[in-house]
Amino acid sequence: MSIALKGMDHPAVAAKDVDKLAKWYCDVLGYEKYHRIDKPVWILKAPDNSLIEIMPEDETARPARNICTPGWSHIALRVENLENAIAYLQEQNVEWIGETVDAIGGGRLRSFYDPEGNMLQVVERSI
């Protein structure tokens, strides 16, 4: 059995002004607005159908960063079959973050930590 990884589903960025940053990604980088929820969270779609999530930041102070600063908000990895991916990752003894939930914009996902404590997700979508 393997994870049957299909590729990356979406990176996510936390922003002060979600709508303003989403507009910039569309106007400057050519993304299109794909789905929004009132939190507010935008899912944007690139011409190749890859996605990016723009979500609101919390009150945590932004740390100073350079190209070697550790960590991501999360990386979502697209899989063909979520249940098979979960079973495989369970065998690898990953630390889960909650249960399977509906993905913003459709599909289902489950979150977990990598060995450094960075959040990852496995996502099954139909797009």
Side-chain angles (χ1 to χ4, degrees), residues 59-120:
E59 299 79 33
T60 305
R62 182 181 292 271
R65 297 188 65 87
N66 64 44
I67 62 169
C68 295
T69 303
W72 294 85
S73 171
H74 67 272
I75 297 293
L77 305 169
R78 192 171 302 174
V79 297
E80 286 187 28
N81 182 293
L82 185 62
E83 299 308 319
N84 287 348
I86 289 171
Y88 172 80
L89 293 169
Q90 188 70 33
E91 291 175 4
Q92 305 308 308
N93 298 313
V94 302
E95 181 181 350
W96 296 107
I97 307 167
E99 298 299 320
T100 300
V101 297
D102 291 335
I104 296 169
R108 299 176 308 134
L109 67 84
R110 189 155 185 205
S111 301
F112 60 100
Y113 290 113
D114 74 10
E116 292 278 338
N118 297 302
M119 187 193 313
L120 300 169

